[in-house]
Amino acid sequence: MTYANVGTLGAAPGKRDELAAHLTARSQELADAGCLLYEVGVHDDHPDTVYVAELWTSAEAHQASLRLASVQASIAAARPLLSGEMGGFDFTVVGSPLRD
Amino acid sequence: MTYANVGTLGAAPGKRDELAAHLTARSQELADAGCLLYEVGVHDDHPDTVYVAELWTSAEAHQASLRLASVQASIAAARPLLSGEMGGFDFTVVGSPLRD
């Protein structure tokens, strides 16, 4: 079952764009791990927040990706850019009006 | 700029699956209006919530879609299925690690 994870990441003051650049660095490994979609964004009204919307082939694929050495290194590298605030939710996809 | 809208919709008691079915009814009109992705889901831990994650060609396309007669009719038809609780956030996409 396709798994969705969407969330907000608080950026350290002045670090939002650096955090967004970090999160959008090309990663074939994510695709290989079962990541189907990984959109990163910002909102003018919330200048210290980075947004992510992810789709994965399964919740297990998402969990497993967090154990990849490259992903752990990326998380460690992002740490100085984060305020520690996080939000969001996850869900199991049941369908879409755009497909049968 | 690609626009993302993700959210939670509270379902009236016992109406979650009906609401999810309503939201996943095939709609060519959404695609024609600029909807790129519209994933609907559920979570075992939150039995009265339906989740949506949408991507649109622009925030304007999303706003305009809300004025379509078919969308307004769909929202009216969904009203008895909703508890009134809503959450979520929207953002402007700046990139993805899955593409250059």
Side-chain angles (χ1 to χ4, degrees), chain A residues 9-56:
Chain A
L9 294 169
K15 296 294 188 185
R16 181 192 73 175
D17 292 349
E18 198 176 334
L19 177 58
H22 183 81
L23 290 167
T24 55
R26 193 78 164 84
S27 170
Q28 181 60 42
E29 207 162 3
L30 281 183
D32 293 344
C35 186
L36 304 170
L37 180 100
Y38 196 119
E39 301 297 323
V40 178
V42 298
H43 194 298
D44 286 347
D45 293 347
H46 303 281
D48 292 321
T49 302
V50 175
Y51 301 82
V52 295
E54 309 164 29
L55 291 176
W56 293 82

Side-chain angles (χ1 to χ4, degrees), chain A residues 38-40 92 94 96 99, chain B residues 38-40 42 92 94 96 99:
Chain A
Y38 196 119
E39 301 297 323
V40 178
T92 301
V94 297
S96 168
R99 61 179 178 265
Chain B
Y38 196 117
E39 301 297 322
V40 178
V42 299
T92 301
V94 296
S96 168
R99 61 178 179 266

